[in-house]
Amino acid sequence: MAVRLRKLSYALGAEVCDVNVAGPMGERQFGEIYQAFLAHGILLFRNQDVTREQHIEFSRRFGELDRHEALPRDRHPDYPELLMVTNDPKPDGSPSDTKYTGRQWHSDMSFTTAPSLGSLLKSYAVPEVGGDTLFANMTLAYDALSEGMKKLIAGLHGIHLSGTRKLANDNSGVVRAEEQKRINPPVAQPVVRVHPETGRKALYIGEKVKRFDGMTEEESQPLIDYLVRHATRPEFLYRHQWRKNDILAWDNRCVMHQALGDFDETQLRHMER
């Protein structure tokens, strides 16, 4: 039986209906799911009350899994393939290292020499309202640029830095920021990427890009700001409202995202990627 899909937005995304990711799944069925992944950029699987082992095994079908050596503070203590995204305090009562993870426009692991193909994020606890995630279709964003702008950025490389944006109410990240500089020195990535499977061009930009190779920050910032603002126009976006036991899979090669802090932070928001 063919996989049934429901579009999530005009720009990108589809829900895969009536599929249990932990259940039996032949190569033909997963092949249909993977083709939908390439076509839509984001896939949503609702009501996935699965174990961590099952989450990992389904994720492994998309490719080799990262063990998060680049983010040692953030990985699950027992499952290095899983990265924690939680505001649940540590056992000693100190704030979670991932309390503010993702609060800027970015593509996962862009600050490493092996950026991730995709991400599969599972929700365990979500606040009553808010805590949504925004996604941008970077292929549509690239296609909408003028020919002059495409020519201007064709040979540019952005310098990506790790770390989250400093927030007004966050005083916990100084040591972490210094650690990240040691583990993940700045890395250059092309501003325009060609998707290795679809052959389509996409912008590869975000708020982790601080300058262009060969240019100063002052020279680079106006163009970085323009490209991020352009890529996040409403017509290129999907806003995901999380429910418990959602699994959301997205293609980092052509999708950028941002976690929103629009929720009561006394309520638990716990996810694992």
Side-chain angles (χ1 to χ4, degrees):
M1 186 172 66
V3 170
R4 186 166 68 88
L5 303 174
R6 181 184 69 85
K7 289 194 73 172
L8 295 174
S9 75
Y10 164 74
L12 74 171
E15 179 181 354
V16 181
C17 304
D18 309 317
V19 167
N20 174 13
V21 303
M25 185 180 297
E27 287 302 315
R28 180 173 179 177
Q29 184 181 29
F30 180 75
E32 290 184 29
I33 288 172
Y34 194 78
Q35 287 305 308
F37 175 75
L38 294 178
H40 297 280
I42 301 172
L43 294 182
L44 169 63
F45 303 86
R46 294 275 196 200
N47 303 314
Q48 302 297 319
D49 187 12
V50 300
T51 66
R52 289 185 171 92
E53 291 84 358
Q54 289 167 332
H55 180 191
I56 289 169
E57 285 309 306
F58 179 64
S59 301
R60 204 184 301 279
R61 299 192 75 153
F62 288 79
E64 182 182 356
L65 299 187
D66 195 337
R67 294 177 66 84
H68 299 108
E69 281 87 357
L71 295 164
R73 287 172 175 253
D74 301 353
R75 56 187 173 185
H76 193 287
D78 301 317
Y79 301 91
E81 302 92 343
L82 294 177
L83 183 114
M84 311 285 280
V85 183
T86 183
N87 63 353
D88 194 18
K90 298 177 186 178
D92 65 4
S94 61
S96 165
D97 285 313
T98 60
K99 183 176 182 179
Y100 297 114
T101 290
R103 298 280 184 93
Q104 59 193 147
W105 283 108
H106 68 287
S107 176
D108 286 336
M109 313 305 287
S110 71
F111 54 87
T112 70
T113 55
S116 75
L117 178 159
S119 301
L120 288 93
L121 184 62
K122 181 184 185 301
S123 57
Y124 283 87
V126 297
E128 180 183 8
V129 292
D132 299 348
T133 304
L134 293 174
F135 294 87
N137 185 325
M138 303 301 275
T139 302
L140 287 183
Y142 175 80
D143 290 345
L145 291 171
S146 68
E147 292 305 311
M149 181 57 75
K150 290 176 182 176
K151 185 176 180 180
L152 175 65
I153 65 176
L156 290 180
H157 284 70
I159 305 299
H160 292 241
L161 301 180
S162 64
T164 56
R165 182 172 55 197
K166 183 73 171 68
L167 299 173
N169 57 344
D170 178 23
N171 298 311
S172 63
V174 176
V175 173
R176 174 187 168 86
E178 290 303 315
E179 179 183 78
Q180 280 297 294
K181 286 180 183 178
R182 291 194 304 272
I183 298 174
N184 302 301
V187 63
Q189 308 283 10
V191 173
V192 179
R193 290 185 66 176
V194 178
H195 196 291
E197 295 182 83
T198 69
R200 297 188 68 184
K201 290 182 177 180
L203 281 176
Y204 198 61
I205 197 75
E207 292 176 313
K208 291 185 183 292
V209 179
K210 301 307 178 186
R211 64 178 179 87
F212 298 119
D213 189 30
M215 297 171 62
T216 67
E217 288 190 21
E218 185 178 21
E219 291 167 335
S220 305
Q221 203 59 56
L223 183 53
I224 294 170
D225 289 345
Y226 169 74
L227 291 173
V228 172
R229 191 168 63 247
H230 166 79
T232 56
R233 285 160 45 181
E235 58 265 38
F236 304 142
L237 300 186
Y238 164 62
R239 179 169 181 153
H240 184 65
Q241 294 181 305
W242 290 94
R243 301 179 193 170
K244 182 180 178 181
N245 288 330
D246 280 353
I247 290 181
L248 205 65
W250 64 87
D251 190 335
N252 283 298
R253 300 166 295 184
C254 57
V255 174
M256 180 168 68
H257 64 285
Q258 178 187 43
L260 300 179
D262 59 339
F263 65 98
D264 181 352
E265 292 190 0
T266 66
Q267 298 180 6
L268 181 62
R269 183 181 188 269
H270 181 92
M271 304 185 177
E272 298 181 8
R273 191 186 79 204

